[in-house]
Amino acid sequence: MSDTTASGALRGVSVIVAGAGLAGLSAAYDLKAMGAEVTILDARDRVGGRVWTIREGFAEGQHAEAGGDTIDGAQDEIRALAARLGLKLSRILRGGWGYARPDASGRVRIVGRQAARGWDRLSEHLSGLARRYRMADQRWDSPITADLARRSVAQWLDEQQADKELRATATGLRGFFLADPDELSLIALVDQFAVSDPPVWGEMYRIEGGNDRLTLALAERLGDRLRLNTELVAVSHRGRGVRASVKQARALSQIDGDYLVLALPATLLRRVPITPALPAQQHEAIARLKYGRATKTLLQFSRRFWRVQGRPRAFGTPLPLGALWEGNEEQRGRAGILALHAGGSASDGTQAIVTKDGVQGLIAALDWLGSRGAALMASRQVVWESDPWARGGYAYFDPSFDPALRQWLARPFGRLFFAGEHTSVRWQGYMNGAVESGRRAAAEIEAGHHLKT
Ligand SMILES: Cc1cc2nc3c(=O)[nH]c(=O)nc-3n(C[C@H](O)[C@H](O)[C@H](O)COP(=O)(O)OP(=O)(O)OC[C@H]3O[C@@H](n4cnc5c(N)ncnc54)[C@H](O)[C@@H]3O)c2cc1C
């Protein structure tokens, strides 16, 4: 991260930032460096939003991530930000991904590197569409994109007369997109394969000591500019300033500023009345964006029974418990935490298992990994679609979303600026996208202000 933000160009300018997730915190951090007087607020009693490191309840001082977990080697914004704040990254899951699925008799078996082969096959099948999409420079306002976007992945699989394997691979991607093939627009899949190798095959990292070290470090630098338990309930941006109406312990009050950064998920942003209203397309983009179901279960066992020489420590599965990996590989101790990440219908499946048989039901479903006889020490489960301040894991594009609307998610309107994972083009759905979007919003305010003066 360069120091160009420390410009002082916004001295005397007040900026309100709504949302203290990675996007809002990154925006506030840059705005402060630009000299702005920043007020950042969040409805929760903690910062970080969908970055949430859980420590409480786990033995041996261990922790694991209930939200954003792995950082890819190519994700420069978050890596640079962590470095700038003096935080180290630990390389994790070097053994890559394995795949486990039921055989003909229904017994779950680990089938080696099948996942990579599945991705290769999917990539081959998509290559023609990916080429067309690249011809459109991957623009979401092209008719090529519109034509791809109105079909679901399930429809495309039918058109391809896809075999069972290919369908299973596409379904397995619910852990990645948080949506099943019938929910997901084909453009989301083509977009992923048109760019490069799927990111899950690259190097993976997490922040030493927990990903919340990053959000807490940013919050610490913002000091008393941060207001927690403060909900944005309305925005008015008439005339020369912006007024944010906020609710704190049922009391309503107003905060005035020169600019406002809206760094809330679209699921919450669309509930906030904005006067004068946003342009129709922008309103529609925010109103229509879907968010995926995601349940993360963290299971701490007295020993790391899943560690077997030469075998990966991360697995994709078509099972209702979703994908799973060692959630604290970089931490010492005999005990260890397994992270179960269930996206789309697997989120429903995981919850159904827990409703029926409790967490023991999940452990029984991990028999193939060697869970029999393992002693559970602690468990935590977070259902993101039930979280009142997220209302979903992260955004995904469904076939009813007009791709030409996408650009409106990030477009400034008057004194209002937009940030958040969902506004990022290259890194939508990632922590890196959140950081990048917050920095972009701060730079937009600086540039816009510069143009005015
Ligand atoms: C289960 C799960 C797994 C994930 N895994 C990964 C991963 O491995 N790698 C990766 O890079 N990313 C991952 N992500 C995605 C990543 O966590 C998010 O993209 C990122 O944290 C989003 O940051 P944000 O700032 O855009 O939004 P948020 O973190 O949601 O921040 C928005 C903030 O706005 C607040 N808010 C909402 N409404 C209001 C209101 N009315 N007034 C005031 N405040 C409000 C919320 O409380 C929240 O703190 C995962 C996400 C989930 C849920």
Side-chain angles (χ1 to χ4, degrees), residues 428-451:
Q428 183 269 313
Y430 290 97
M431 296 183 282
N432 195 64
V435 172
E436 182 192 77
S437 73
R439 301 205 69 205
R440 186 252 312 136
E444 283 176 338
I445 292 179
E446 188 192 36
H449 191 72
H450 189 75
L451 285 171

Side-chain angles (χ1 to χ4, degrees), residues 78-331:
I78 192 166
R79 290 165 60 93
L81 180 61
R84 184 152 180 200
L85 295 167
L87 300 170
K88 289 207 180 90
L89 297 185
S90 301
R91 175 100 190 259
I92 51 164
L93 305 173
R94 286 168 191 263
W97 289 78
Y99 190 63
R101 61 146 196 234
D103 64 14
S105 71
R107 237 184 102 185
V108 180
R109 290 185 189 280
I110 297 170
V111 285
R113 314 273 159 179
Q114 188 108 359
R117 275 203 295 278
W119 281 78
D120 286 348
R121 280 197 66 211
L122 202 53
S123 176
E124 261 164 48
H125 277 260
L126 288 165
S127 61
L129 299 180
R131 200 173 318 114
R132 275 171 76 82
Y133 178 52
R134 278 196 298 267
M135 276 162 61
D137 278 337
Q138 301 169 29
R139 278 183 296 108
W140 279 47
D141 60 357
S142 162
I144 294 178
T145 311
D147 186 38
L148 291 171
R150 65 187 170 160
R151 265 179 291 171
S152 69
V153 172
Q155 280 169 322
W156 173 74
L157 288 167
D158 287 345
E159 285 160 20
Q160 295 284 300
Q161 300 181 329
D163 58 24
K164 247 172 101 179
E165 285 290 334
L166 202 62
R167 284 174 193 275
T169 302
T171 302
L173 292 179
R174 63 190 176 174
F176 183 70
F177 291 109
L178 306 185
D180 284 52
D182 60 326
E183 298 167 312
L184 189 68
S185 163
L186 180 56
I187 191 59
L189 194 62
V190 172
D191 184 59
Q192 203 51 242
F193 283 87
V195 184
S196 59
D197 287 339
V200 289
W201 304 130
E203 290 176 5
M204 285 184 279
Y205 299 84
R206 61 171 73 97
I207 293 171
E208 237 177 68
N211 288 345
D212 69 352
R213 286 272 159 98
L214 181 59
T215 50
L216 292 170
L218 288 166
E220 194 185 296
R221 281 155 180 83
L222 294 166
D224 61 6
R225 294 174 179 86
L226 173 68
R227 300 195 199 172
L228 293 176
N229 300 305
T230 305
E231 178 189 353
L232 177 74
V233 292
V235 172
S236 111
H237 58 123
R238 283 200 178 88
R240 295 168 62 93
V242 182
R243 171 164 285 191
S245 300
V246 301
K247 199 159 88 179
Q248 217 174 357
R250 297 210 183 139
L252 276 178
S253 61
Q254 263 92 37
I255 308 173
D256 291 327
D258 295 311
Y259 300 102
L260 171 64
V261 178
L262 291 154
L264 320 175
T267 45
L268 276 304
L269 179 56
R270 56 192 174 227
R271 303 175 142 232
V272 178
I274 297 177
T275 330
L278 298 176
Q281 287 139 303
Q282 189 156 28
H283 177 87
E284 187 164 336
I286 294 165
R288 283 188 164 269
L289 192 63
K290 293 275 196 308
Y291 278 64
R293 281 112 67 219
T295 296
K296 193 98 172 257
T297 312
L298 304 171
L299 303 173
Q300 188 184 38
F301 292 97
S302 58
R303 61 185 177 83
R304 307 187 197 221
F305 60 81
W306 51 86
R307 286 192 178 182
V308 172
Q309 185 79 29
R311 199 170 82 175
R313 296 171 183 174
F315 295 91
T317 84
L319 306 171
L321 51 71
L324 54 126
W325 54 85
E326 183 163 336
N328 70 338
E329 201 183 26
E330 73 287 5
Q331 294 161 45

Side-chain angles (χ1 to χ4, degrees), residues 21-23 42-44 49-50 68-70 232 268 420-421 429-431:
L22 261 181
D42 199 289
R44 297 181 198 265
R50 284 170 277 166
D69 188 353
T70 65
L232 177 74
L268 276 304
E421 152 272 308
Y430 290 97
M431 296 183 282

